[in-house]
Amino acid sequence: MATLFFMLLMSIFSTFIHAIPTSAGQKVTKRSVTVDLPRNPGYAPNGRLQYSRALKKWGVPMDDELDDATNSFRGGGETGDVNAESIMGDREYLSRVGFGTPFQYLNVDLDTGSADVWVYSSETKTKTRREDIFELEKSSTAELVNGSEWRITYGDSSYAWGHVYHDSIDIGGIPLHNAVVQSAVDVSQSLSSDKDIDGIFGLAYDLHSQVRPKQPTVLSTLKSHLDKPVFTADLRYQSDEGAYTFGYIDHHRHIGEINYTPLLPNSTFWEFNFTGLHVVGHNYWYISQWRVIADTGTTLMLLSPDIVNMYYDAVPNATSDRSFGGLWHYPCNTTLPDFEIGFANGWVARVPGRYMNYTTYDDLPGRCMGGLQPFMSEEFGILGDIFLKAVYAVFDIGGGKVGFADKDLGL
Ligand SMILES: *[C@@H]1O[C@H](CO)[C@@H](O)[C@H](O)[C@H]1NC(C)=O
Ligand SMILES: *[C@@H]1O[C@H](CO)[C@@H](O)[C@H](O)[C@H]1NC(C)=O
Ligand SMILES: *[C@@H]1O[C@H](CO)[C@@H](O)[C@H](O)[C@H]1NC(C)=O
Ligand SMILES: *[C@@H]1O[C@H](CO)[C@@H](O)[C@H](O)[C@H]1NC(C)=O
Ligand SMILES: *[C@@H]1O[C@H](CO)[C@@H](O)[C@H](O)[C@H]1NC(C)=O
Ligand SMILES: *[C@@H]1O[C@H](CO)[C@@H](O)[C@H](O)[C@H]1NC(C)=O
């Protein structure tokens, strides 16, 4: 896991945040808030690009054939594919977060799979214009951390680096002062050409950021300001009803109990084991232990190839196409089966087949790409948005555990 940076595309649709005071007292300093997730009403996202980016984020090598295939469908220049993506439905979820004094609001990706909080700023050397950047000189509280910098690199040519500031952050009405804000100085073209995103807001459980010398993460700063040391993610399938909450669990957003699973020992990510797998329609369950990371910043669900093969065995005419980067696809008129994941306490999460159907291909008419794809890591899988959309997710910082519950999916 050499590199832990990932950038996803997201909506520029207007977003807003509102504070929901939950404490009765007037003088509370701790807060709990909701950060709304806007709808991202786009069309076919570029699923292959999502896939190759996820592999890079998690430092999982593509084998040569996969790599060639991924490169070949980039069509000669990374930027071409990236630029073609524009704004896509359910590819990413974007939240509005304030930086500086007075607060300047930017569209950032709340990402449980990384620990850095970085933004495009007035220092950023990039030719790609974006709607909003953090204008450092307009913040009366921005304070350069002398001699400190951050740098994130991929195995390939993608990178970002910059300076480190202490400044104020407003996340859903919770003001954090002297938080560590990473300002991008240089961002590789392959990343910066994605102009809809203004920054990444890392929320990994206990991971150091890439700031050197080390600084506390924003999540560790935020934790002490929350009513309860939790945040929750309610990502929604093609809807503007989604939200993150900080400092409380919104019991209106889930059905039944929240089922907690402890994080694995020494987890830096939101990493845990699940214990069962089931393709709905089959009359057997697979029982074992699978290590996974809950990652709001990855679009797809990425699991070991044997699991993925097992799922697509149940999909008529599904193929895993080497010349298509090893991605699974099937006729678009195929109804995919629901996919179930079981936990040690007996609770089962069900991902509807409709959510498992991710996107179309421009160059393979009539074929659709699944939201579950293979991950060559021996060690862990990624439960990205395809999974998270199907559940109410609780990230319990204080308790070192994740909780999942059913919610009304409106199906
Ligand atoms: C940062 O360090 C440099 C060299 O060590 C020094 O010249 C400069 O004044 C320092 N800036 C601040 C804001 O402390
Ligand atoms: C967790 O970290 C401690 C201290 O570094 C170490 O002794 C222990 O073996 C680690 N546990 C696991 C499961 O890695
Ligand atoms: C989690 O699963 C892995 C296998 O994927 C296993 O080696 C490990 O012991 C499990 N840990 C716990 C705490 O269940
Ligand atoms: C699967 O392919 C066969 C022939 O290759 C075709 O007859 C059949 O209709 C296809 N099924 C679906 C669901 O597309
Ligand atoms: C999907 O379309 C193909 C080709 O048009 C057809 O052969 C197949 O029967 C259809 N499958 C379903 C499940 O409708
Ligand atoms: C799968 O998704 C694609 C677009 O994302 C859509 O065109 C297709 O109709 C969907 N298939 C089913 C069976 O819903």
Side-chain angles (χ1 to χ4, degrees), residues 316-317 331-335:
N317 293 7
C332 283
N333 63 358
T334 307
T335 302

Side-chain angles (χ1 to χ4, degrees), residues 88-410:
M88 308 300 180
D90 277 5
R91 181 211 313 262
E92 253 321 317
Y93 295 87
L94 179 73
S95 302
R96 207 121 172 103
V97 173
F99 295 88
T101 306
F103 291 121
Q104 300 171 39
Y105 288 88
L106 304 179
N107 296 325
V108 300
D109 181 7
L110 301 187
D111 177 15
T112 60
S114 68
D116 291 65
V117 171
W118 72 266
V119 293
Y120 288 92
S121 74
S122 40
E123 294 184 312
T124 313
K125 296 181 269 178
T126 165
K127 290 171 202 77
T128 311
R129 290 183 62 84
R130 56 195 68 247
E131 196 121 311
D132 298 303
I133 57 168
F134 179 30
E135 296 182 70
L136 286 156
E137 62 286 352
K138 291 192 182 163
S139 172
S140 62
T141 46
E143 208 176 290
L144 180 71
V145 181
N146 218 355
S148 189
E149 72 168 41
W150 60 279
R151 181 178 299 272
I152 301 167
T153 49
Y154 277 154
D156 68 357
S157 56
S158 312
Y159 62 87
W161 71 271
H163 297 146
V164 179
Y165 289 82
H166 285 157
D167 207 342
S168 300
I169 292 179
D170 168 15
I171 178 143
I174 302 177
L176 301 178
H177 301 294
N178 280 312
V180 176
V181 177
Q182 299 169 226
S183 155
V185 171
D186 199 4
V187 181
S188 64
Q189 174 70 17
S190 57
L191 300 176
S192 67
S193 58
D194 170 2
K195 64 182 170 22
D196 299 321
I197 184 177
D198 302 329
I200 303 275
F201 200 102
L203 293 168
Y205 172 63
D206 191 22
L207 182 70
H208 291 297
S209 71
Q210 300 297 313
V211 171
R212 297 292 177 272
K214 278 179 190 161
Q215 290 275 334
T217 61
V218 174
L219 183 62
S220 64
T221 308
L222 177 61
K223 180 182 165 185
S224 60
H225 287 73
L226 299 174
D227 270 354
K228 292 201 176 87
V230 297
F231 67 92
T232 75
D234 178 11
L235 307 184
R236 288 272 159 181
Y237 179 82
Q238 294 181 9
S239 153
D240 55 8
E241 304 288 305
Y244 284 89
T245 70
F246 288 88
Y248 77 110
I249 293 168
D250 184 347
H251 294 294
H252 295 108
R253 289 185 172 271
H254 67 90
I255 298 168
E257 280 175 29
I258 294 167
N259 299 273
Y260 286 99
T261 304
L263 298 183
L264 294 176
N266 303 347
S267 281
T268 51
F269 292 99
W270 295 98
E271 185 168 13
F272 54 93
N273 280 0
F274 68 84
T275 56
L277 281 171
H278 179 225
V279 179
V280 175
H282 287 180
N283 49 15
Y284 45 86
W285 274 82
Y286 290 87
I287 306 296
S288 182
Q289 300 223 70
W290 291 275
R291 252 173 82 185
V292 281
I293 292 170
D295 182 8
T296 58
T298 290
T299 311
L300 301 170
M301 177 161 38
L302 301 169
L303 296 173
S304 67
D306 55 327
I307 297 173
V308 177
N309 294 349
M310 184 266 288
Y311 179 76
Y312 289 105
D313 273 352
V315 178
N317 293 7
T319 49
S320 160
D321 196 338
R322 265 294 157 93
S323 64
F324 261 70
L327 292 170
W328 281 91
H329 54 82
Y330 43 82
C332 283
N333 63 358
T334 307
T335 302
L336 296 185
D338 293 356
F339 186 59
E340 290 185 327
I341 288 181
F343 291 83
N345 66 3
W347 186 71
V348 172
R350 178 185 281 219
V351 183
R354 192 168 148 215
Y355 291 17
M356 299 296 287
N357 174 33
Y358 180 53
T359 189
T360 52
Y361 289 103
D362 281 350
D363 42 357
L364 268 188
R367 303 289 293 183
C368 277
M369 172 184 156
L372 171 64
Q373 295 292 346
F375 201 49
M376 304 305 168
S377 167
E378 310 268 295
E379 291 167 33
F380 62 94
I382 302 293
L383 296 183
D385 299 343
I386 297 285
F387 171 82
L388 293 167
K389 277 186 272 194
V391 296
Y392 184 71
V394 177
F395 297 87
D396 189 324
I397 313 163
K401 58 191 178 178
V402 292
F404 298 113
D406 289 320
K407 66 186 179 191
D408 183 1
L409 299 177

